[in-house]
Coordinates of all heavy atoms in Angstrom, one line a residue:
M1 N 100.4 -45.6 11.6 CA 99.0 -45.3 11.7 C 98.8 -43.9 12.3 O 99.5 -43.6 13.3 CB 98.3 -46.4 12.5 CG 96.7 -46.1 12.5 SD 95.9 -47.3 13.6 CE 95.4 -48.5 12.4
S2 N 97.9 -43.1 11.8 CA 97.7 -41.8 12.3 C 96.8 -41.9 13.5 O 96.1 -42.9 13.8 CB 97.0 -41.0 11.2 OG 97.8 -40.8 10.1
D3 N 96.8 -40.8 14.3 CA 96.0 -40.8 15.5 C 94.6 -40.1 15.1 O 94.4 -39.5 14.1 CB 96.7 -40.0 16.6 CG 96.9 -38.6 16.3 OD1 96.8 -38.2 15.1 OD2 97.3 -37.8 17.2
R4 N 93.6 -40.4 16.0 CA 92.3 -40.0 15.8 C 92.1 -38.5 15.5 O 91.5 -38.1 14.5 CB 91.4 -40.4 17.0 CG 90.0 -40.1 16.8 CD 89.2 -40.5 18.0 NE 87.8 -40.1 17.9 CZ 86.8 -40.9 17.7 NH1 87.0 -42.2 17.7 NH2 85.6 -40.5 17.5
P5 N 92.7 -37.6 16.3 CA 92.6 -36.1 16.0 C 93.1 -35.7 14.6 O 92.5 -34.9 14.0 CB 93.3 -35.4 17.1 CG 93.4 -36.4 18.2 CD 93.5 -37.8 17.6
S6 N 94.2 -36.3 14.2 CA 94.7 -35.9 12.9 C 93.8 -36.4 11.8 O 93.6 -35.7 10.8 CB 96.1 -36.4 12.7 OG 96.2 -37.8 12.7
I7 N 93.2 -37.6 12.0 CA 92.3 -38.1 10.9 C 91.0 -37.3 10.9 O 90.5 -37.0 9.8 CB 92.0 -39.6 11.2 CG1 93.2 -40.5 11.1 CG2 90.9 -40.1 10.3 CD1 93.1 -41.9 11.5
E8 N 90.5 -36.9 12.1 CA 89.3 -36.1 12.1 C 89.6 -34.7 11.4 O 88.8 -34.2 10.7 CB 88.9 -35.9 13.6 CG 88.3 -37.1 14.2 CD 88.0 -37.0 15.6 OE1 88.6 -36.1 16.3 OE2 87.2 -37.8 16.1
K9 N 90.8 -34.2 11.7 CA 91.1 -32.9 11.0 C 91.2 -33.1 9.5 O 90.7 -32.2 8.7 CB 92.4 -32.3 11.6 CG 92.8 -31.0 10.9 CD 94.0 -30.3 11.5 CE 94.3 -29.0 10.8 NZ 93.7 -28.6 9.6
E10 N 91.8 -34.1 9.1 CA 91.9 -34.4 7.6 C 90.6 -34.6 7.0 O 90.3 -34.1 5.9 CB 92.8 -35.6 7.4 CG 93.2 -35.8 6.0 CD 94.3 -36.8 5.7 OE1 95.1 -37.1 6.7 OE2 94.3 -37.4 4.6
I11 N 89.7 -35.3 7.7 CA 88.3 -35.4 7.2 C 87.6 -34.1 7.1 O 87.0 -33.8 6.1 CB 87.5 -36.4 8.1 CG1 88.0 -37.8 8.0 CG2 86.0 -36.2 7.9 CD1 87.4 -38.8 9.0
S12 N 87.8 -33.2 8.1 CA 87.2 -31.9 8.1 C 87.8 -31.1 6.9 O 87.0 -30.4 6.2 CB 87.4 -31.2 9.4 OG 87.0 -29.9 9.4
D13 N 89.1 -31.1 6.8 CA 89.7 -30.4 5.7 C 89.3 -30.9 4.3 O 89.0 -30.1 3.4 CB 91.2 -30.5 5.8 CG 91.8 -29.7 7.0 OD1 91.1 -28.9 7.6 OD2 93.0 -30.0 7.3
T14 N 89.1 -32.2 4.2 CA 88.7 -32.8 2.9 C 87.3 -32.3 2.6 O 87.0 -32.0 1.4 CB 88.9 -34.3 2.9 OG1 90.2 -34.6 3.2 CG2 88.5 -34.9 1.6
K15 N 86.4 -32.3 3.6 CA 85.0 -31.9 3.4 C 85.0 -30.5 2.9 O 84.2 -30.1 2.0 CB 84.2 -32.1 4.6 CG 83.9 -33.5 4.9 CD 83.0 -33.7 6.2 CE 82.7 -35.1 6.4 NZ 81.9 -35.3 7.6
K16 N 85.8 -29.6 3.5 CA 85.9 -28.2 3.0 C 86.3 -28.1 1.6 O 85.8 -27.3 0.8 CB 86.8 -27.4 4.0 CG 86.2 -27.2 5.3 CD 87.2 -26.4 6.2 CE 86.7 -26.3 7.7 NZ 87.7 -25.8 8.6
T17 N 87.3 -28.9 1.3 CA 87.9 -28.9 -0.1 C 86.8 -29.3 -1.1 O 86.6 -28.7 -2.1 CB 89.1 -29.8 -0.2 OG1 90.1 -29.3 0.7 CG2 89.7 -29.8 -1.6
I18 N 86.1 -30.4 -0.7 CA 85.0 -30.9 -1.6 C 83.9 -29.9 -1.8 O 83.4 -29.6 -2.9 CB 84.5 -32.2 -1.0 CG1 85.5 -33.4 -1.2 CG2 83.1 -32.6 -1.7 CD1 85.1 -34.6 -0.5
S19 N 83.6 -29.2 -0.7 CA 82.5 -28.2 -0.8 C 83.0 -27.1 -1.7 O 82.2 -26.6 -2.5 CB 82.3 -27.6 0.6 OG 81.3 -26.6 0.6
Q20 N 84.2 -26.6 -1.6 CA 84.7 -25.6 -2.5 C 84.7 -26.0 -4.0 O 84.4 -25.3 -4.9 CB 86.1 -25.1 -2.1 CG 86.6 -23.9 -2.9 CD 85.7 -22.7 -2.8 OE1 85.3 -22.3 -1.7 NE2 85.3 -22.2 -4.0
L21 N 85.2 -27.3 -4.2 CA 85.2 -27.8 -5.5 C 83.8 -27.9 -6.1 O 83.6 -27.6 -7.3 CB 85.8 -29.2 -5.5 CG 87.4 -29.2 -5.4 CD1 87.9 -30.6 -5.1 CD2 88.0 -28.7 -6.7
E22 N 82.8 -28.3 -5.3 CA 81.4 -28.4 -5.8 C 80.9 -27.0 -6.2 O 80.3 -26.8 -7.2 CB 80.5 -28.9 -4.7 CG 80.7 -30.4 -4.5 CD 79.9 -30.9 -3.2 OE1 79.6 -30.1 -2.3 OE2 79.7 -32.2 -3.2
K23 N 81.3 -25.9 -5.4 CA 80.9 -24.6 -5.8 C 81.6 -24.2 -7.1 O 81.0 -23.6 -8.0 CB 81.3 -23.6 -4.7 CG 80.4 -23.7 -3.5 CD 80.9 -22.8 -2.4 CE 80.2 -23.1 -1.1 NZ 80.8 -22.3 0.0
D24 N 82.9 -24.4 -7.2 CA 83.6 -24.1 -8.4 C 83.1 -24.8 -9.7 O 82.9 -24.2 -10.7 CB 85.1 -24.5 -8.3 CG 85.8 -23.6 -7.2 OD1 85.3 -22.6 -6.8 OD2 87.0 -24.0 -6.9
I25 N 82.7 -26.1 -9.5 CA 82.2 -26.9 -10.6 C 80.9 -26.3 -11.0 O 80.6 -26.2 -12.2 CB 82.1 -28.4 -10.2 CG1 83.5 -29.0 -10.1 CG2 81.2 -29.2 -11.1 CD1 83.6 -30.3 -9.5
K26 N 80.0 -26.0 -10.1 CA 78.7 -25.4 -10.4 C 78.9 -24.1 -11.2 O 78.2 -23.9 -12.2 CB 77.9 -25.2 -9.2 CG 76.5 -24.6 -9.5 CD 75.7 -24.3 -8.3 CE 74.3 -23.8 -8.6 NZ 74.1 -22.9 -9.8
Q27 N 79.8 -23.2 -10.7 CA 80.0 -21.9 -11.4 C 80.6 -22.2 -12.8 O 80.1 -21.5 -13.7 CB 81.0 -21.1 -10.6 CG 80.4 -20.5 -9.3 CD 81.5 -19.7 -8.5 OE1 82.7 -19.9 -8.7 NE2 81.0 -18.9 -7.6
L28 N 81.5 -23.1 -13.0 CA 82.0 -23.4 -14.3 C 80.9 -23.9 -15.2 O 80.8 -23.5 -16.4 CB 83.1 -24.4 -14.2 CG 84.5 -23.8 -13.9 CD1 85.5 -25.0 -13.6 CD2 85.0 -23.0 -15.1
R29 N 80.1 -24.8 -14.7 CA 79.0 -25.4 -15.6 C 78.0 -24.3 -16.0 O 77.6 -24.2 -17.1 CB 78.3 -26.5 -14.8 CG 79.0 -27.8 -14.8 CD 78.2 -28.8 -14.1 NE 79.0 -30.1 -14.0 CZ 78.9 -31.0 -13.1 NH1 78.0 -30.8 -12.1 NH2 79.6 -32.1 -13.2
D30 N 77.7 -23.4 -15.0 CA 76.8 -22.3 -15.3 C 77.4 -21.3 -16.3 O 76.7 -20.9 -17.3 CB 76.4 -21.5 -14.0 CG 75.5 -22.3 -13.1 OD1 75.0 -23.3 -13.5 OD2 75.4 -21.9 -11.9
W31 N 78.7 -21.0 -16.2 CA 79.4 -20.1 -17.1 C 79.4 -20.7 -18.5 O 79.1 -20.1 -19.5 CB 80.8 -19.9 -16.6 CG 81.5 -18.8 -17.4 CD1 81.5 -17.5 -17.3 CD2 82.3 -19.1 -18.6 NE1 82.3 -16.9 -18.2 CE2 82.8 -17.8 -19.1 CE3 82.7 -20.2 -19.3 CZ2 83.6 -17.7 -20.2 CZ3 83.5 -20.1 -20.4 CH2 84.0 -18.9 -20.8
I32 N 79.8 -22.0 -18.6 CA 79.8 -22.7 -19.9 C 78.4 -22.7 -20.5 O 78.3 -22.3 -21.7 CB 80.3 -24.2 -19.7 CG1 81.8 -24.2 -19.4 CG2 80.1 -25.0 -21.0 CD1 82.4 -25.5 -18.9
S33 N 77.4 -23.1 -19.8 CA 76.1 -23.1 -20.3 C 75.6 -21.8 -20.8 O 75.0 -21.6 -21.9 CB 75.1 -23.6 -19.2 OG 73.8 -23.7 -19.6
G34 N 75.8 -20.7 -20.0 CA 75.4 -19.4 -20.4 C 76.1 -18.9 -21.6 O 75.5 -18.3 -22.5
N35 N 77.4 -19.2 -21.8 CA 78.1 -18.8 -23.0 C 77.7 -19.6 -24.2 O 77.7 -19.1 -25.3 CB 79.6 -18.8 -22.7 CG 80.1 -17.6 -22.0 OD1 80.2 -16.5 -22.6 ND2 80.4 -17.7 -20.7
E36 N 77.4 -20.9 -24.0 CA 77.0 -21.7 -25.1 C 75.6 -21.2 -25.7 O 75.4 -21.1 -26.9 CB 76.8 -23.2 -24.7 CG 78.2 -23.9 -24.5 CD 78.0 -25.3 -24.0 OE1 77.0 -25.6 -23.3 OE2 78.9 -26.1 -24.3
R37 N 74.8 -20.8 -24.8 CA 73.5 -20.2 -25.2 C 73.6 -18.9 -26.0 O 72.8 -18.7 -26.9 CB 72.5 -20.0 -24.0 CG 71.9 -21.3 -23.5 CD 70.8 -21.0 -22.5 NE 71.2 -20.2 -21.3 CZ 71.7 -20.7 -20.2 NH1 71.8 -22.0 -20.1 NH2 72.1 -20.0 -19.2
S38 N 74.6 -18.1 -25.7 CA 74.7 -16.8 -26.3 C 75.6 -16.8 -27.5 O 75.7 -15.8 -28.2 CB 75.3 -15.8 -25.3 OG 76.6 -16.2 -24.9
L39 N 76.2 -18.0 -27.9 CA 77.1 -18.1 -29.1 C 76.4 -17.6 -30.4 O 77.0 -17.0 -31.2 CB 77.6 -19.5 -29.2 CG 78.8 -19.9 -28.3 CD1 79.1 -21.4 -28.6 CD2 80.0 -19.0 -28.6
G40 N 75.1 -18.0 -30.5 CA 74.4 -17.7 -31.8 C 74.3 -16.3 -32.1 O 74.3 -15.9 -33.3
G41 N 74.2 -15.4 -31.2 CA 74.1 -14.0 -31.5 C 75.3 -13.2 -31.5 O 75.3 -12.0 -31.6
M42 N 76.5 -13.9 -31.5 CA 77.8 -13.2 -31.5 C 78.4 -13.1 -32.9 O 78.1 -13.8 -33.8 CB 78.8 -14.0 -30.6 CG 78.4 -14.1 -29.2 SD 79.7 -15.0 -28.3 CE 79.1 -15.0 -26.7
S43 N 79.2 -12.0 -33.0 CA 80.0 -11.9 -34.2 C 81.0 -13.0 -34.3 O 81.3 -13.7 -33.3 CB 80.7 -10.5 -34.3 OG 81.7 -10.5 -33.2
E44 N 81.5 -13.3 -35.5 CA 82.4 -14.4 -35.7 C 83.6 -14.3 -34.8 O 84.0 -15.3 -34.2 CB 82.8 -14.4 -37.2 CG 83.7 -15.6 -37.5 CD 83.1 -17.0 -37.3 OE1 81.9 -17.1 -37.4 OE2 83.8 -17.9 -37.0
T45 N 84.2 -13.1 -34.7 CA 85.4 -13.0 -33.9 C 85.1 -13.2 -32.4 O 85.8 -14.0 -31.7 CB 86.0 -11.5 -34.0 OG1 86.2 -11.3 -35.4 CG2 87.2 -11.4 -33.2
L46 N 84.0 -12.7 -31.9 CA 83.7 -12.9 -30.5 C 83.3 -14.3 -30.3 O 83.6 -14.9 -29.2 CB 82.5 -11.9 -30.1 CG 82.1 -11.9 -28.7 CD1 83.3 -11.7 -27.8 CD2 81.0 -10.9 -28.4
R47 N 82.6 -14.9 -31.2 CA 82.2 -16.3 -31.1 C 83.5 -17.2 -31.0 O 83.5 -18.1 -30.1 CB 81.4 -16.8 -32.3 CG 80.9 -18.2 -32.2 CD 80.0 -18.7 -33.3 NE 80.0 -17.9 -34.5 CZ 78.9 -17.2 -34.9 NH1 77.8 -17.3 -34.3 NH2 79.0 -16.5 -36.0
R48 N 84.5 -17.0 -31.8 CA 85.7 -17.8 -31.7 C 86.4 -17.6 -30.4 O 86.8 -18.6 -29.8 CB 86.7 -17.4 -32.8 CG 86.5 -18.1 -34.1 CD 87.7 -18.0 -35.1 NE 88.3 -16.7 -35.2 CZ 87.9 -15.7 -36.1 NH1 87.0 -16.0 -36.9 NH2 88.5 -14.6 -36.1
I49 N 86.5 -16.4 -29.9 CA 87.1 -16.1 -28.6 C 86.3 -16.8 -27.5 O 86.9 -17.5 -26.6 CB 87.2 -14.6 -28.3 CG1 88.1 -13.9 -29.3 CG2 87.5 -14.3 -26.9 CD1 88.1 -12.4 -29.3
T50 N 85.0 -16.7 -27.6 CA 84.1 -17.4 -26.5 C 84.2 -18.9 -26.6 O 84.3 -19.6 -25.6 CB 82.6 -16.9 -26.7 OG1 82.6 -15.5 -26.7 CG2 81.7 -17.5 -25.7
E51 N 84.3 -19.5 -27.8 CA 84.5 -20.9 -28.0 C 85.8 -21.4 -27.4 O 85.9 -22.4 -26.7 CB 84.3 -21.3 -29.4 CG 82.9 -21.2 -29.9 CD 82.8 -21.5 -31.4 OE1 83.8 -21.3 -32.2 OE2 81.7 -21.7 -31.9
E52 N 86.8 -20.6 -27.5 CA 88.1 -20.9 -26.9 C 88.0 -20.9 -25.4 O 88.6 -21.7 -24.7 CB 89.2 -19.9 -27.4 CG 89.6 -20.1 -28.8 CD 90.5 -19.0 -29.4 OE1 91.0 -18.2 -28.6 OE2 90.8 -19.0 -30.6
G53 N 87.3 -19.9 -24.9 CA 87.1 -19.8 -23.4 C 86.3 -21.0 -22.9 O 86.6 -21.5 -21.9
I54 N 85.3 -21.4 -23.7 CA 84.5 -22.5 -23.3 C 85.4 -23.8 -23.3 O 85.3 -24.6 -22.4 CB 83.3 -22.7 -24.2 CG1 82.3 -21.6 -24.0 CG2 82.6 -24.1 -24.1 CD1 81.2 -21.5 -25.0
T55 N 86.2 -23.9 -24.3 CA 87.1 -25.1 -24.3 C 88.0 -25.2 -23.1 O 88.2 -26.2 -22.5 CB 87.9 -25.1 -25.6 OG1 87.0 -25.1 -26.7 CG2 88.9 -26.3 -25.7
R56 N 88.6 -24.0 -22.8 CA 89.5 -24.0 -21.6 C 88.7 -24.2 -20.3 O 89.1 -24.9 -19.4 CB 90.2 -22.6 -21.5 CG 91.3 -22.4 -22.5 CD 92.2 -21.2 -22.2 NE 91.4 -20.0 -22.2 CZ 91.1 -19.2 -23.3 NH1 91.5 -19.6 -24.5 NH2 90.4 -18.1 -23.2
A57 N 87.5 -23.7 -20.2 CA 86.6 -23.9 -19.1 C 86.2 -25.4 -18.9 O 86.2 -25.9 -17.8 CB 85.4 -23.1 -19.1
R58 N 86.0 -26.1 -20.1 CA 85.7 -27.5 -20.0 C 86.9 -28.3 -19.5 O 86.7 -29.3 -18.7 CB 85.3 -28.0 -21.4 CG 83.9 -27.6 -21.8 CD 83.4 -28.2 -23.1 NE 82.1 -27.8 -23.4 CZ 81.7 -27.5 -24.6 NH1 82.5 -27.5 -25.6 NH2 80.4 -27.2 -24.8
A59 N 88.1 -27.9 -19.9 CA 89.3 -28.6 -19.4 C 89.4 -28.4 -17.9 O 89.8 -29.3 -17.2 CB 90.5 -28.1 -20.2
D60 N 89.2 -27.2 -17.5 CA 89.3 -26.9 -16.1 C 88.2 -27.6 -15.3 O 88.5 -28.2 -14.2 CB 89.1 -25.4 -15.9 CG 89.4 -24.9 -14.4 OD1 90.1 -25.6 -13.7 OD2 88.9 -23.9 -14.0
L61 N 87.0 -27.7 -15.9 CA 86.0 -28.4 -15.2 C 86.3 -29.9 -15.1 O 86.1 -30.5 -14.0 CB 84.7 -28.3 -16.1 CG 83.4 -29.1 -15.6 CD1 83.0 -28.6 -14.2 CD2 82.3 -28.9 -16.6
A62 N 86.9 -30.5 -16.1 CA 87.3 -31.9 -16.0 C 88.3 -32.1 -14.9 O 88.3 -33.1 -14.2 CB 87.8 -32.4 -17.4
Q63 N 89.3 -31.2 -14.8 CA 90.3 -31.3 -13.8 C 89.7 -31.2 -12.4 O 90.0 -32.0 -11.5 CB 91.4 -30.2 -13.9 CG 92.3 -30.5 -15.1 CD 93.3 -29.3 -15.2 OE1 93.0 -28.2 -15.0 NE2 94.5 -29.7 -15.6
R64 N 88.8 -30.3 -12.2 CA 88.1 -30.1 -10.9 C 87.3 -31.3 -10.6 O 87.2 -31.7 -9.4 CB 87.4 -28.8 -10.9 CG 88.3 -27.6 -10.9 CD 87.5 -26.3 -11.0 NE 88.4 -25.2 -11.3 CZ 88.8 -24.4 -10.4 NH1 88.5 -24.5 -9.1 NH2 89.6 -23.4 -10.7
E65 N 86.6 -31.9 -11.6 CA 85.8 -33.1 -11.3 C 86.6 -34.2 -10.9 O 86.3 -35.0 -10.0 CB 84.9 -33.4 -12.5 CG 83.8 -32.4 -12.7 CD 83.0 -32.6 -14.0 OE1 83.6 -33.1 -15.0 OE2 81.8 -32.3 -14.0
N66 N 87.8 -34.4 -11.6 CA 88.7 -35.5 -11.2 C 89.3 -35.3 -9.8 O 89.4 -36.2 -9.0 CB 89.9 -35.6 -12.2 CG 89.4 -36.1 -13.5 OD1 88.5 -36.9 -13.6 ND2 90.2 -35.8 -14.6
E67 N 89.6 -34.0 -9.5 CA 90.1 -33.7 -8.1 C 89.0 -34.0 -7.1 O 89.3 -34.5 -6.0 CB 90.6 -32.3 -8.1 CG 91.0 -31.8 -6.7 CD 92.2 -32.6 -6.1 OE1 92.9 -33.3 -6.9 OE2 92.4 -32.5 -4.9
M68 N 87.8 -33.7 -7.4 CA 86.7 -33.9 -6.5 C 86.5 -35.4 -6.2 O 86.3 -35.9 -5.1 CB 85.4 -33.3 -6.9 CG 84.3 -33.4 -5.8 SD 82.8 -32.4 -6.1 CE 82.3 -33.1 -7.6
Q69 N 86.6 -36.2 -7.3 CA 86.5 -37.7 -7.1 C 87.7 -38.2 -6.3 O 87.5 -39.0 -5.4 CB 86.6 -38.4 -8.5 CG 85.3 -38.2 -9.3 CD 84.1 -38.7 -8.5 OE1 83.3 -37.9 -8.0 NE2 83.9 -40.0 -8.4
R70 N 88.9 -37.7 -6.5 CA 90.0 -38.1 -5.7 C 89.8 -37.7 -4.2 O 90.1 -38.5 -3.3 CB 91.3 -37.4 -6.2 CG 92.6 -38.0 -5.7 CD 93.8 -37.3 -6.2 NE 93.9 -35.9 -5.6 CZ 94.3 -35.6 -4.4 NH1 94.5 -36.6 -3.5 NH2 94.4 -34.4 -4.0
Q71 N 89.3 -36.5 -4.0 CA 89.0 -36.1 -2.6 C 87.9 -36.9 -1.9 O 88.0 -37.2 -0.8 CB 88.6 -34.6 -2.6 CG 89.7 -33.6 -2.9 CD 90.8 -33.5 -1.9 OE1 90.6 -33.7 -0.7 NE2 92.0 -33.3 -2.3
R72 N 86.9 -37.3 -2.7 CA 85.9 -38.1 -2.1 C 86.4 -39.5 -1.8 O 86.0 -40.1 -0.8 CB 84.7 -38.2 -3.1 CG 83.9 -37.0 -3.2 CD 82.7 -37.1 -4.1 NE 81.8 -36.0 -4.0 CZ 81.0 -35.6 -4.9 NH1 80.8 -36.3 -6.0 NH2 80.2 -34.5 -4.7
G73 N 87.3 -40.0 -2.6 CA 87.9 -41.3 -2.3 C 88.8 -41.2 -1.0 O 88.7 -42.1 -0.2
S74 N 89.5 -40.1 -0.9 CA 90.3 -39.9 0.3 C 89.4 -39.8 1.5 O 89.7 -40.3 2.6 CB 91.2 -38.6 0.1 OG 91.9 -38.3 1.3
L75 N 88.3 -39.1 1.4 CA 87.4 -38.9 2.5 C 86.8 -40.3 2.9 O 86.8 -40.6 4.1 CB 86.2 -38.0 2.1 CG 85.1 -37.7 3.1 CD1 85.7 -37.1 4.4 CD2 84.0 -36.9 2.5
A76 N 86.4 -41.1 2.0 CA 85.9 -42.4 2.3 C 86.9 -43.2 3.0 O 86.6 -43.9 4.0 CB 85.4 -43.1 1.0
E77 N 88.2 -43.2 2.6 CA 89.2 -44.0 3.2 C 89.4 -43.5 4.6 O 89.6 -44.3 5.6 CB 90.5 -43.8 2.4 CG 90.5 -44.3 1.0 CD 91.1 -45.7 0.9 OE1 92.0 -46.0 1.8 OE2 90.8 -46.4 0.0
N78 N 89.5 -42.2 4.8 CA 89.7 -41.7 6.2 C 88.5 -41.9 7.1 O 88.7 -42.2 8.3 CB 90.0 -40.2 6.2 CG 91.5 -39.9 5.7 OD1 92.4 -40.7 6.1 ND2 91.7 -38.9 5.0
E79 N 87.3 -41.9 6.6 CA 86.2 -42.2 7.4 C 86.2 -43.7 7.8 O 85.8 -44.0 8.9 CB 84.9 -41.8 6.7 CG 84.6 -40.3 6.6 CD 83.4 -39.9 5.9 OE1 83.0 -40.6 4.9 OE2 82.9 -38.8 6.1
K80 N 86.6 -44.5 6.9 CA 86.7 -45.9 7.2 C 87.7 -46.2 8.3 O 87.5 -46.9 9.2 CB 87.1 -46.7 5.9 CG 87.2 -48.2 6.1 CD 87.5 -48.9 4.8 CE 87.7 -50.4 4.9 NZ 88.1 -51.0 3.7
L81 N 88.9 -45.5 8.1 CA 90.0 -45.6 9.1 C 89.5 -45.1 10.5 O 89.8 -45.8 11.5 CB 91.2 -44.9 8.6 CG 92.4 -44.9 9.5 CD1 92.9 -46.3 9.8 CD2 93.5 -44.1 8.9
L82 N 88.8 -44.0 10.5 CA 88.3 -43.5 11.7 C 87.3 -44.5 12.4 O 87.3 -44.7 13.6 CB 87.6 -42.1 11.5 CG 87.1 -41.4 12.8 CD1 88.3 -41.1 13.7 CD2 86.4 -40.1 12.4
G83 N 86.5 -45.1 11.6 CA 85.5 -46.1 12.1 C 86.3 -47.3 12.7 O 85.9 -47.8 13.8
L84 N 87.4 -47.7 12.1 CA 88.1 -48.8 12.7 C 88.8 -48.4 14.0 O 88.8 -49.1 14.9 CB 89.2 -49.2 11.7 CG 88.7 -49.9 10.4 CD1 89.9 -50.1 9.4 CD2 88.1 -51.3 10.7
L85 N 89.3 -47.1 14.0 CA 89.9 -46.7 15.3 C 88.8 -46.5 16.4 O 89.1 -46.8 17.5 CB 90.5 -45.3 15.1 CG 91.8 -45.3 14.3 CD1 92.3 -43.9 14.0 CD2 92.9 -46.1 15.0
T86 N 87.6 -46.2 16.0 CA 86.6 -46.0 17.0 C 86.2 -47.4 17.6 O 85.9 -47.5 18.7 CB 85.3 -45.3 16.4 OG1 85.7 -44.0 15.8 CG2 84.2 -45.1 17.3
E87 N 86.2 -48.4 16.7 CA 85.9 -49.7 17.2 C 86.8 -50.3 18.2 O 86.5 -51.1 19.0 CB 85.8 -50.7 16.0 CG 84.6 -50.5 15.1 CD 84.6 -51.4 13.9 OE1 85.5 -52.3 13.9 OE2 83.8 -51.2 13.0
Q88 N 88.1 -49.8 18.1 CA 89.1 -50.4 19.0 C 89.0 -49.9 20.4 O 88.8 -49.0 20.9 CB 90.5 -50.0 18.5 CG 90.8 -50.7 17.2 CD 92.2 -50.3 16.7 OE1 92.9 -49.5 17.3 NE2 92.6 -51.0 15.6

């Protein structure tokens, strides 16, 4: 079993990671949305390149969302563990 200071540090680190992931996810969503809106006015070549970029961004977005869910699960587990240690 881990000690209280190490769990508190892990909680703090996880919260920072989640915060950064939230920022990254918002930026990716905004980028995807902005590029989807501008597709109509693009030449065929530029549209294909942009669509490929959007596809890659969506894959990256899915990975980051999965990572954020994993981090949130880890945070919940550590907060629960810290609560149990506090009760003792």
Side-chain angles (χ1 to χ4, degrees):
M1 183 186 264
S2 298
D3 61 347
R4 184 182 175 111
S6 66
I7 294 171
E8 288 172 340
K9 180 173 180 352
E10 192 168 334
I11 287 171
S12 176
D13 291 347
T14 302
K15 286 180 178 180
K16 288 177 188 173
T17 300
I18 290 170
S19 177
Q20 185 60 51
L21 283 167
E22 287 171 340
K23 289 176 189 173
D24 293 347
I25 287 168
K26 182 185 181 324
Q27 287 177 341
L28 276 168
R29 285 182 180 152
D30 290 346
W31 187 88
I32 291 167
S33 177
N35 279 286
E36 285 175 335
R37 283 192 300 273
S38 64
L39 281 174
M42 294 180 181
S43 67
E44 182 61 29
T45 303
L46 185 55
R47 183 180 12 246
R48 275 198 314 269
I49 292 168
T50 303
E51 286 172 342
E52 288 172 10
I54 290 171
T55 299
R56 285 191 302 273
R58 284 185 179 139
D60 188 24
L61 177 62
Q63 287 179 323
R64 289 174 194 261
E65 287 174 333
N66 287 337
E67 176 63 15
M68 187 167 60
Q69 287 303 106
R70 194 183 70 71
Q71 291 291 329
R72 285 182 173 160
S74 175
L75 178 62
E77 297 260 338
N78 282 323
E79 287 176 336
K80 182 179 176 182
L81 181 58
L82 184 61
L84 292 172
L85 287 174
T86 303
E87 288 177 8
Q88 292 180 354

